[in-house]
Each structure stands twice: as C-alpha cells, then as structure tokens.
Amino acid sequence: MSAAYAKRILPLVIIAAVIAALIALFLYAAGFFGRSHVTAQQFVDFQEGGSPHAGFRRAHAKGVCVEGDFVASGALSEYTRSAIFAEGSTPFIGRFSIGTGNPSAPDLSSGVRSLALTFDAGANEQWRTAMNTPPVMAVATPDAFFAQLNALMPDPETGERDPQRIAEFFAAHPETQTFREWSAGYTPTGSYASEQYNSINAFYLINRNGDRQAVRWAAVPRVQIDENPYADTDQADNALGLDIAERIEEGPVVYDLVFTLATDEDDPNNPTVAWPDSREQVTAGQIVIQRLASDDAQCNSLNFDPLVLPRGMQASEDPILRARSAAYAESYRRRARETWLGGE
Ligand code: HEM
C-alpha cells in the first residue's frame, strides 16, 4: 500500500471506527451485552411443569398467610429516607412458604423455606421483599439459573434426578461453590419461626443527602427450635404450617431485621458471593408476626415482586432481580386468570 493511498483512506477508517464504537455504545446502553435470553414465560412454563396447579403460585405454592407490624428502631434512618425505617411501626402482610410449585407437597421435603413481606407505609409507599433460607444463589444470571433448574429436574419416568447431569452442571459453574458449601452444612430447623430468611440479592439505600449504600438484609430468628412436633405424626405433610399457626396463636413470632452494609470490595450485582462476616450490620427493627391472616385471599392477590421498593431504596443492577420481577408477574397473571377470571 502506497503512503499516498494510506493517507487517502485514513479518514474513512476513522469514520468507520467511530460508527462502530457508536453502535457498540448504543447496544451496551440498550442492555444488549450480557442480556438474559430466557424469558419470564419460559421460567414459569418450566416451574409449572406439564400440569399446572390452577390458581396457585407457580413457585412457593404452599404457604401460610400472616399479618403483623415492623417495629423500626430508627437505626437505619441515616442510610435511607424511607418512612418504614424511621422509628415507629408499619403494618405488613406476610407469607411463609416452601419453595416447590406443588401446593400439596409435604412441608418437610422442601430444601428451601421462605418468608415474604409487603410493608404498607401509606398511599404512596410500599416495600415488598421475598426472602429465602440460603444466603446466596448458586449462579449469578437468569440463563445459568434456568440451566440449573434443568439440570436438577427429575426424570419424568423415574422421578429421580440424574447425578451425572448435576455433576456436569456444577463442574461447568464453579461460582456455585459457596452455595454448595452452605447447602452441605445446612440442617433445616423444626419451625418456620427458627429459620433465617435472606434477601440474597443486594439493593441500595438512599439517604436524604442522596448518598447510596449497597446492602443485603435478613430476618434473623430469636428462637432455636430443633424438632417439629408434627414431624412423626400423620399430620407430617403440613408440619410447618400447623406448627407456625399454633405458635402465632400463642403469641407474636419475632425476627430481627438485620442489614449488612457492603464496602467497595463487595459486588452488589453478584448474588453468588457471600459478603465477609466482618461487614458492619445494622438492626433496623423487629418483624413482629401478630396473627394469621383473616383471609388467604389477602396473600393470593399479592405478588411479592422484589422491585416494589419504597423511596430511599433502589434495586442493584443484579440481572436476577429483573428476571424475578418478570417471572412473578407472569405467575401472578396466570393464577389470577384462573382464580378470578374463570380460566382461559
Ligand atoms: C431467576 C430467579 C427466580 C425466579 C425465576 C423465581 C420465580 C418465582 C415465581 C414464579 C414465584 C411465584 C410468584 C407469584 O405467583 O406470586 C416465586 C415466588 C417466590 N420467590 Fe422466587 N424466583 C427466583 C429467585 C428467587 C430468589 C433469589 C428468592 C429469595 C431471595 C426468591 C424468593 C421467592 C419467594 C419467597 C417467593 C414466594 C413469595 C410468596 O409467598 O408469594 N426467588 N419465585
């Protein structure tokens, strides 16, 4: 190539490079890179399997609806301007559940137990959170989570999981290690009242000055209950539900709501990594479960979408949160149509 020719095409090369960079920037801004390919419909199709349980949640189908108050200490106020965390009390509707999509699954068979809460802080403010017993997720993206669900799915003929497929999945996903270690060391307690429920995904608190602090939170129990009174009876299938109903009738069931503050070393967008125990923690107040909900429709008509947040709280960029929000809406749409609109 002659020097004269190179000089002539140089401006064209620069223009082409600028256009390519602009296209890449546009695609990045549109979220194209790293975007999830699995849809909410695919998640919910998978979770409901071949025979959906009409009118029920497609995950966490079996649960107990409760009501109570969040009694805030005010200790979180310096981090968030949400009225929910100012000293005082906010009513909530809550739901204990087990992870399965089968509404008649035996309570003690489920590997995941959950507590979901909707705080009602007046006409313009609500906070919804759905928490699980594991402190981390096994994987960090919706696509990988979908692959995990597929790897763990039992064979429809035998009802058994395929150990080789599971081993291959874990080998291909080393980020599952923290979850697997937790899972190997976890012993389910005897009651919903004695489990710790974790937000797993991270969020930001925003205070009056606009300062942002990344956090995770957990509902931390105040009692240790090893044995479930129904475990060895003919009512074992509903052991957790019966136990918690009795405890609530006897008096309030209480948890501390504890926030863990991230430092710059923690990635708020990766739910597979546990933050070190040395991170500062703030007890925002107590979750006081006062009574069983008078009408289960109170919970059935609720979708504990983790992106419904009060002012003073923001979602992190964690892609799992968007996938959750979309899947919960899809599950809600299906069960609402079956329950209130008379089917298809
Ligand atoms: C991509 C990942 C996830 C998907 C696709 C997913 C999907 C779902 C779906 C479809 C429902 C039923 C929603 C409804 O009909 O109201 C549900 C409920 C629930 N999910 Fe998830 N989930 C995911 C991750 C998580 C995580 C990380 C947590 C815990 C931090 C969680 C906690 C819960 C709880 C507690 C409920 C039950 C809420 C209730 O009692 O109504 N999920 N999930």
Side-chain angles (χ1 to χ4, degrees), residues 43-44 47 57-60 95 97 114 116 130-132 137 145 198-201 302-304 320 323-324 327-328 331-332 335:
F43 266 123
V44 176
Q47 284 165 321
R57 285 170 168 80
R58 275 18 183 201
H60 302 256
R95 186 169 177 270
S97 63
S114 313
M131 301 169 282
N132 281 351
M137 282 196 66
F145 184 61
N198 304 291
S199 74
I200 303 180
N201 303 109
L302 263 177
N303 156 1
F304 292 89
I320 295 284
R324 287 179 65 185
Y328 293 19
S331 168
Y332 182 85
R335 59 190 172 82

Short mmCIF file of all heavy atoms in Angstrom, two decimals, residues 43-44 47 57-60 95 97 114 116 130-132 137 145 198-201 302-304 320 323-324 327-328 331-332 335, ligand 1:
data_model
loop_
_atom_site.label_atom_id
_atom_site.label_comp_id
_atom_site.label_asym_id
_atom_site.label_seq_id
_atom_site.Cartn_x
_atom_site.Cartn_y
_atom_site.Cartn_z
N PHE A 43 -39.50 -19.41 32.21
CA PHE A 43 -39.31 -19.75 33.63
C PHE A 43 -40.59 -20.36 34.19
O PHE A 43 -40.59 -21.40 34.84
CB PHE A 43 -38.96 -18.51 34.46
CG PHE A 43 -37.48 -18.30 34.64
CD1 PHE A 43 -36.88 -17.12 34.25
CD2 PHE A 43 -36.69 -19.29 35.21
CE1 PHE A 43 -35.52 -16.92 34.41
CE2 PHE A 43 -35.33 -19.11 35.38
CZ PHE A 43 -34.74 -17.91 34.97
N VAL A 44 -41.70 -19.67 33.94
CA VAL A 44 -42.95 -20.11 34.57
C VAL A 44 -43.46 -21.39 33.91
O VAL A 44 -43.97 -22.27 34.60
CB VAL A 44 -43.97 -18.95 34.57
CG1 VAL A 44 -45.31 -19.43 35.14
CG2 VAL A 44 -43.44 -17.80 35.41
N GLN A 47 -41.48 -23.93 35.66
CA GLN A 47 -41.83 -24.12 37.07
C GLN A 47 -43.19 -24.80 37.24
O GLN A 47 -43.40 -25.55 38.19
CB GLN A 47 -41.80 -22.77 37.80
CG GLN A 47 -40.37 -22.34 38.10
CD GLN A 47 -40.24 -20.88 38.50
OE1 GLN A 47 -40.92 -20.03 37.96
NE2 GLN A 47 -39.36 -20.60 39.44
N ARG A 57 -49.63 -20.18 43.00
CA ARG A 57 -48.32 -19.67 42.58
C ARG A 57 -47.56 -20.79 41.89
O ARG A 57 -47.61 -21.94 42.35
CB ARG A 57 -47.53 -19.21 43.81
CG ARG A 57 -47.97 -17.92 44.39
CD ARG A 57 -47.29 -17.68 45.73
NE ARG A 57 -47.50 -16.30 46.17
CZ ARG A 57 -48.60 -15.87 46.75
NH1 ARG A 57 -49.60 -16.69 46.98
NH2 ARG A 57 -48.71 -14.59 47.10
N ARG A 58 -46.81 -20.43 40.85
CA ARG A 58 -46.06 -21.45 40.11
C ARG A 58 -44.76 -21.82 40.83
O ARG A 58 -44.06 -22.76 40.45
CB ARG A 58 -45.76 -20.96 38.70
CG ARG A 58 -46.86 -21.16 37.67
CD ARG A 58 -48.24 -21.44 38.16
NE ARG A 58 -49.13 -21.67 37.01
CZ ARG A 58 -50.43 -21.57 37.01
NH1 ARG A 58 -51.06 -21.23 38.12
NH2 ARG A 58 -51.13 -21.81 35.93
N ALA A 59 -44.40 -21.09 41.82
CA ALA A 59 -43.31 -21.46 42.75
C ALA A 59 -43.80 -21.06 44.13
O ALA A 59 -44.65 -20.18 44.26
CB ALA A 59 -42.03 -20.71 42.41
N HIS A 60 -43.32 -21.74 45.15
CA HIS A 60 -43.75 -21.42 46.53
C HIS A 60 -45.27 -21.50 46.65
O HIS A 60 -45.91 -20.63 47.23
CB HIS A 60 -43.26 -20.03 46.95
CG HIS A 60 -41.77 -19.87 46.88
ND1 HIS A 60 -40.96 -19.89 47.99
CD2 HIS A 60 -40.94 -19.70 45.82
CE1 HIS A 60 -39.70 -19.72 47.61
NE2 HIS A 60 -39.66 -19.61 46.29
N ARG A 95 -46.01 -13.90 54.22
CA ARG A 95 -46.35 -15.28 53.83
C ARG A 95 -45.13 -16.18 54.01
O ARG A 95 -44.06 -15.91 53.44
CB ARG A 95 -46.82 -15.30 52.38
CG ARG A 95 -47.34 -16.66 51.92
CD ARG A 95 -48.03 -16.55 50.56
NE ARG A 95 -48.44 -17.85 50.09
CZ ARG A 95 -47.69 -18.65 49.33
NH1 ARG A 95 -46.49 -18.27 48.95
NH2 ARG A 95 -48.14 -19.84 48.96
N SER A 97 -43.53 -19.84 53.22
CA SER A 97 -43.79 -20.84 52.17
C SER A 97 -42.62 -21.80 52.05
O SER A 97 -41.52 -21.55 52.58
CB SER A 97 -44.03 -20.15 50.82
OG SER A 97 -42.88 -19.44 50.41
N SER A 114 -39.21 -20.02 53.10
CA SER A 114 -39.22 -18.61 52.71
C SER A 114 -40.14 -17.78 53.58
O SER A 114 -41.09 -18.29 54.17
CB SER A 114 -39.71 -18.49 51.26
OG SER A 114 -39.05 -19.42 50.45
N ALA A 116 -42.01 -13.95 52.87
CA ALA A 116 -42.21 -12.78 52.01
C ALA A 116 -43.03 -11.76 52.79
O ALA A 116 -43.90 -12.13 53.58
CB ALA A 116 -42.95 -13.20 50.74
N ALA A 130 -39.12 -10.77 49.22
CA ALA A 130 -39.31 -12.23 49.32
C ALA A 130 -37.94 -12.82 49.62
O ALA A 130 -37.00 -12.65 48.86
CB ALA A 130 -39.85 -12.78 48.01
N MET A 131 -37.84 -13.47 50.79
CA MET A 131 -36.53 -13.95 51.28
C MET A 131 -36.52 -15.47 51.40
O MET A 131 -37.55 -16.07 51.71
CB MET A 131 -36.26 -13.33 52.66
CG MET A 131 -36.24 -11.82 52.65
SD MET A 131 -36.24 -11.13 54.34
CE MET A 131 -37.94 -11.31 54.84
N ASN A 132 -35.35 -16.03 51.18
CA ASN A 132 -35.19 -17.50 51.26
C ASN A 132 -34.14 -17.88 52.30
O ASN A 132 -33.31 -17.05 52.69
CB ASN A 132 -34.73 -18.04 49.90
CG ASN A 132 -35.88 -18.17 48.91
OD1 ASN A 132 -37.04 -18.01 49.27
ND2 ASN A 132 -35.54 -18.44 47.67
N MET A 137 -27.20 -17.21 46.03
CA MET A 137 -27.71 -18.06 44.94
C MET A 137 -26.56 -18.93 44.44
O MET A 137 -25.39 -18.59 44.62
CB MET A 137 -28.22 -17.19 43.80
CG MET A 137 -29.59 -16.60 44.09
SD MET A 137 -30.42 -15.97 42.62
CE MET A 137 -30.72 -17.43 41.63
N PHE A 145 -29.38 -19.78 35.90
CA PHE A 145 -30.39 -20.31 36.83
C PHE A 145 -31.34 -21.26 36.10
O PHE A 145 -31.71 -22.31 36.62
CB PHE A 145 -31.17 -19.15 37.48
CG PHE A 145 -32.15 -19.60 38.52
CD1 PHE A 145 -31.72 -20.28 39.66
CD2 PHE A 145 -33.51 -19.35 38.38
CE1 PHE A 145 -32.63 -20.71 40.63
CE2 PHE A 145 -34.42 -19.77 39.34
CZ PHE A 145 -33.99 -20.45 40.46
N ASN A 198 -33.10 -14.74 53.98
CA ASN A 198 -32.13 -13.79 53.42
C ASN A 198 -32.62 -13.13 52.13
O ASN A 198 -33.22 -13.80 51.28
CB ASN A 198 -30.83 -14.53 53.12
CG ASN A 198 -30.29 -15.25 54.34
OD1 ASN A 198 -29.84 -14.61 55.29
ND2 ASN A 198 -30.38 -16.57 54.34
N SER A 199 -32.27 -11.86 51.98
CA SER A 199 -32.66 -11.16 50.73
C SER A 199 -31.87 -11.70 49.54
O SER A 199 -32.30 -11.61 48.41
CB SER A 199 -32.39 -9.66 50.85
OG SER A 199 -31.00 -9.37 50.78
N ILE A 200 -30.70 -12.25 49.78
CA ILE A 200 -29.78 -12.81 48.78
C ILE A 200 -29.32 -11.73 47.79
O ILE A 200 -28.14 -11.44 47.70
CB ILE A 200 -30.40 -14.01 48.03
CG1 ILE A 200 -30.83 -15.09 49.03
CG2 ILE A 200 -29.40 -14.56 47.01
CD1 ILE A 200 -31.45 -16.33 48.40
N ASN A 201 -30.24 -11.17 47.03
CA ASN A 201 -29.87 -10.08 46.11
C ASN A 201 -29.59 -8.81 46.92
O ASN A 201 -30.13 -8.65 48.01
CB ASN A 201 -31.00 -9.81 45.11
CG ASN A 201 -31.38 -11.05 44.32
OD1 ASN A 201 -32.45 -11.61 44.52
ND2 ASN A 201 -30.52 -11.51 43.45
N LEU A 302 -51.61 -11.00 46.18
CA LEU A 302 -50.35 -10.26 46.28
C LEU A 302 -49.25 -10.96 45.50
O LEU A 302 -49.15 -12.19 45.51
CB LEU A 302 -49.88 -10.24 47.73
CG LEU A 302 -50.21 -9.03 48.57
CD1 LEU A 302 -49.71 -9.29 49.98
CD2 LEU A 302 -49.56 -7.79 48.01
N ASN A 303 -48.42 -10.17 44.87
CA ASN A 303 -47.24 -10.70 44.19
C ASN A 303 -46.05 -10.03 44.87
O ASN A 303 -45.94 -8.81 44.83
CB ASN A 303 -47.41 -10.34 42.71
CG ASN A 303 -46.13 -10.27 41.96
OD1 ASN A 303 -45.04 -10.50 42.49
ND2 ASN A 303 -46.23 -9.94 40.69
N PHE A 304 -45.20 -10.81 45.50
CA PHE A 304 -44.09 -10.22 46.28
C PHE A 304 -42.93 -9.86 45.36
O PHE A 304 -41.81 -10.38 45.48
CB PHE A 304 -43.68 -11.18 47.40
CG PHE A 304 -44.72 -11.35 48.47
CD1 PHE A 304 -45.71 -12.32 48.37
CD2 PHE A 304 -44.75 -10.50 49.57
CE1 PHE A 304 -46.69 -12.46 49.35
CE2 PHE A 304 -45.73 -10.64 50.57
CZ PHE A 304 -46.70 -11.62 50.45
N ILE A 320 -30.67 -10.95 38.11
CA ILE A 320 -31.63 -11.90 38.69
C ILE A 320 -32.88 -11.15 39.17
O ILE A 320 -34.00 -11.65 39.08
CB ILE A 320 -30.99 -12.66 39.89
CG1 ILE A 320 -29.83 -13.54 39.42
CG2 ILE A 320 -32.04 -13.45 40.66
CD1 ILE A 320 -30.21 -14.81 38.72
N ALA A 323 -35.26 -10.63 36.34
CA ALA A 323 -35.87 -11.91 35.97
C ALA A 323 -36.94 -12.31 36.99
O ALA A 323 -38.01 -12.81 36.63
CB ALA A 323 -34.81 -12.99 35.86
N ARG A 324 -36.65 -12.08 38.26
CA ARG A 324 -37.62 -12.42 39.31
C ARG A 324 -38.89 -11.59 39.12
O ARG A 324 -40.00 -12.13 39.12
CB ARG A 324 -37.04 -12.12 40.70
CG ARG A 324 -35.98 -13.10 41.13
CD ARG A 324 -35.44 -12.74 42.51
NE ARG A 324 -36.45 -12.85 43.56
CZ ARG A 324 -36.24 -12.49 44.82
NH1 ARG A 324 -35.08 -12.01 45.19
NH2 ARG A 324 -37.19 -12.63 45.71
N ALA A 327 -40.89 -12.85 36.20
CA ALA A 327 -41.46 -14.18 36.41
C ALA A 327 -42.60 -14.13 37.42
O ALA A 327 -43.63 -14.81 37.26
CB ALA A 327 -40.38 -15.16 36.87
N TYR A 328 -42.47 -13.33 38.47
CA TYR A 328 -43.53 -13.23 39.48
C TYR A 328 -44.80 -12.66 38.82
O TYR A 328 -45.91 -13.09 39.11
CB TYR A 328 -43.12 -12.35 40.67
CG TYR A 328 -41.99 -12.91 41.51
CD1 TYR A 328 -41.14 -13.89 41.02
CD2 TYR A 328 -41.76 -12.45 42.80
CE1 TYR A 328 -40.11 -14.40 41.79
CE2 TYR A 328 -40.73 -12.96 43.58
CZ TYR A 328 -39.90 -13.93 43.06
OH TYR A 328 -38.87 -14.43 43.83
N SER A 331 -46.36 -15.41 36.68
CA SER A 331 -47.03 -16.39 37.53
C SER A 331 -48.34 -15.80 38.08
O SER A 331 -49.38 -16.46 38.08
CB SER A 331 -46.10 -16.79 38.68
OG SER A 331 -46.77 -17.51 39.66
N TYR A 332 -48.25 -14.54 38.49
CA TYR A 332 -49.44 -13.87 39.04
C TYR A 332 -50.53 -13.78 37.97
O TYR A 332 -51.71 -14.06 38.24
CB TYR A 332 -49.06 -12.46 39.52
CG TYR A 332 -50.22 -11.73 40.13
CD1 TYR A 332 -50.55 -11.91 41.47
CD2 TYR A 332 -51.02 -10.89 39.36
CE1 TYR A 332 -51.62 -11.26 42.03
CE2 TYR A 332 -52.10 -10.24 39.92
CZ TYR A 332 -52.40 -10.42 41.25
OH TYR A 332 -53.48 -9.79 41.81
N ARG A 335 -52.23 -17.21 37.54
CA ARG A 335 -53.11 -17.67 38.62
C ARG A 335 -54.30 -16.74 38.81
O ARG A 335 -55.39 -17.18 39.19
CB ARG A 335 -52.33 -17.91 39.92
CG ARG A 335 -51.59 -16.73 40.50
CD ARG A 335 -50.68 -17.19 41.63
NE ARG A 335 -49.79 -16.16 42.13
CZ ARG A 335 -50.12 -15.23 43.01
NH1 ARG A 335 -51.34 -15.20 43.50
NH2 ARG A 335 -49.23 -14.35 43.41
C1 HEM B 1 -34.38 -16.04 38.47
C2 HEM B 1 -34.62 -16.45 39.71
C3 HEM B 1 -36.02 -16.66 40.25
C4 HEM B 1 -37.19 -16.98 39.59
C5 HEM B 1 -37.39 -17.18 38.10
C6 HEM B 1 -38.24 -17.06 40.59
C7 HEM B 1 -39.57 -17.35 40.33
C8 HEM B 1 -40.61 -17.26 41.23
C9 HEM B 1 -42.02 -17.35 40.90
C10 HEM B 1 -42.59 -17.57 39.52
C11 HEM B 1 -42.72 -17.17 42.06
C12 HEM B 1 -44.24 -17.15 42.23
C13 HEM B 1 -44.71 -15.69 42.23
C14 HEM B 1 -46.20 -15.49 42.42
O1 HEM B 1 -47.02 -16.14 41.75
O2 HEM B 1 -46.57 -14.64 43.25
C15 HEM B 1 -41.76 -17.01 43.10
C16 HEM B 1 -42.08 -16.82 44.42
C17 HEM B 1 -41.15 -16.59 45.38
N1 HEM B 1 -39.79 -16.42 45.23
FE1 HEM B 1 -38.74 -16.60 43.54
N2 HEM B 1 -37.70 -16.80 41.83
C18 HEM B 1 -36.35 -16.57 41.66
C19 HEM B 1 -35.43 -16.26 42.62
C20 HEM B 1 -35.74 -16.06 43.93
C21 HEM B 1 -34.81 -15.65 44.96
C22 HEM B 1 -33.32 -15.35 44.74
C23 HEM B 1 -35.51 -15.57 46.12
C24 HEM B 1 -35.05 -15.18 47.50
C25 HEM B 1 -34.24 -14.20 47.75
C26 HEM B 1 -36.89 -15.91 45.82
C27 HEM B 1 -37.92 -15.96 46.74
C28 HEM B 1 -39.23 -16.21 46.46
C29 HEM B 1 -40.28 -16.27 47.46
C30 HEM B 1 -40.10 -16.10 48.97
C31 HEM B 1 -41.47 -16.49 46.78
C32 HEM B 1 -42.85 -16.68 47.40
C33 HEM B 1 -43.50 -15.36 47.67
C34 HEM B 1 -44.89 -15.62 48.19
O3 HEM B 1 -45.03 -16.15 49.29
O4 HEM B 1 -45.80 -15.28 47.46
N3 HEM B 1 -36.99 -16.21 44.49
N4 HEM B 1 -40.47 -17.07 42.59
#
